[in-house]
Amino acid sequence: PNSTFWIAGGLGGFGLEIARWLVSRGVRSLVLSGRSLTPSTAAKQAMVELQQGGCRVTHLPTDITDAAQVRSVVAMIAKDLPPLRGVLHTAMVLEDKLLTDLDDDTLQRVLRPKILGGWNLHQQTQHLPLDYFILFSSLSSVFGHAGQANYAAANAFLDSLAYHRRALGLPATVMNWGHLGEVGYLAEREQLGKRLERQGVLSFSVKQATDCLAYALQNHELQASVLRIDWSLWRGLGVTQRVSPRFAHLLRDNGSTAGTASDDWASADGLRNMAAAERAEMVEKMLRVKTGNLLGSSAEELPVDRALLELGLDSLMAVELRNWIERHLEVNLPIASLMRSEGLTHVSMLVCNEFRKKHESSLDQADELHADRAENGLSELSESQAAALLERLPNLGTEEVSQLLSQMLEERH
């Protein structure tokens, strides 16, 4: 009760919930800072409620990327408020872009609040006898996340800063938050939250978050990830569904993967054996289900004649859809074709055309190979002979491989 806690970035939804939690745990002096000179209506109302609850709340507009402003806040607290005992760095900027589209300005906007802000808070308070120095990081630095290379890098710095402070004998705890569902960035962006849910990253409540934060602080944890995940759905947060071996042991494969082909879907081989009309119908059905999964809509409700951009497809979704088409239909379709498409019927037509071209090209190549073998008097290996040879190759020494090649050349001539 005789201490001051400073929440940098404390005027957002999650920051205000943390402020309420601190007051419920006995804190009676709070400093809330953010870059905005004027708090939002919701923030003003929350500060009034906190003061009515017996806490002195001081709002100090601060750009924590400016060391002089951070120094000024520390000096003001020392002069006018109870001693500073806790610092919480909750500030963030999130601006997703694929690496190929990431420019310097976007990179800096995301990195600066986390990196410069965290470093300034560390440097300007390291001489003080703090009890707590709490850094809010993200699951993006633990798992990686498609389109969030900048955000993952910023949070990785905060993770490392916590270890650096502990090495100096200073207090530090870093929390890698997952999908907080009630307040904050994801709660305000329903579509993004639904996408995470489909990937197995489930939401948790503010109460669960603060309970985990309390546990981490009471047990002097250095780093803790707070995640609620359905491992039977989770396949990483990239666009390829390749899971890092670090987490492979956590997966419980129930025989199906969200967003992939179901039992009644045709494989690429199956599509090759279909008539053109039947193939087109099957491809459109598969695309509707996959796109519906990406957009959080049922396949039946998804109009097939509206542009995918109008339906809400963004660049990250387009990359995932393109990779899915390549993986399951064995067709390479440019992302631009998806982004400019007139609808799913149009995409289906593009896929079928590319599928047909690829199949015809494969047949031509097979005919040429067969003719070449006949012309040169080469006998084709049977399937069992080829399989046996492939199985032996990794275990053959250099000399044995040379002998085998010589033998094959002799047979050819």
Side-chain angles (χ1 to χ4, degrees), residues 103-113 116 150:
D103 56 87
D104 189 63
D105 288 342
T106 305
L107 185 66
Q108 293 300 325
R109 282 194 296 271
V110 174
L111 293 183
R112 287 173 64 85
L116 277 179
N150 48 8

Side-chain angles (χ1 to χ4, degrees), residues 130-200:
L130 297 181
D131 293 325
Y132 302 103
F133 190 92
I134 304 167
L135 300 162
F136 279 16
S137 183
S138 163
L139 63 81
S140 65
S141 64
V142 177
F143 294 114
H145 197 169
Q148 291 191 348
N150 48 8
Y151 192 58
N155 286 299
F157 174 84
L158 291 185
D159 298 349
S160 300
L161 178 58
Y163 284 83
H164 176 65
R165 284 182 59 88
R166 283 287 186 98
L168 296 175
L170 301 172
T173 297
V174 59
M175 304 294 293
N176 297 91
W177 297 110
H179 179 188
L180 182 65
E182 294 178 343
V183 296
Y185 186 89
L186 288 175
E188 296 167 1
R189 291 159 179 81
E190 183 180 1
Q191 189 177 84
L192 182 56
K194 286 183 176 179
R195 189 195 306 174
L196 286 172
E197 296 268 349
R198 291 193 299 273
Q199 292 175 309

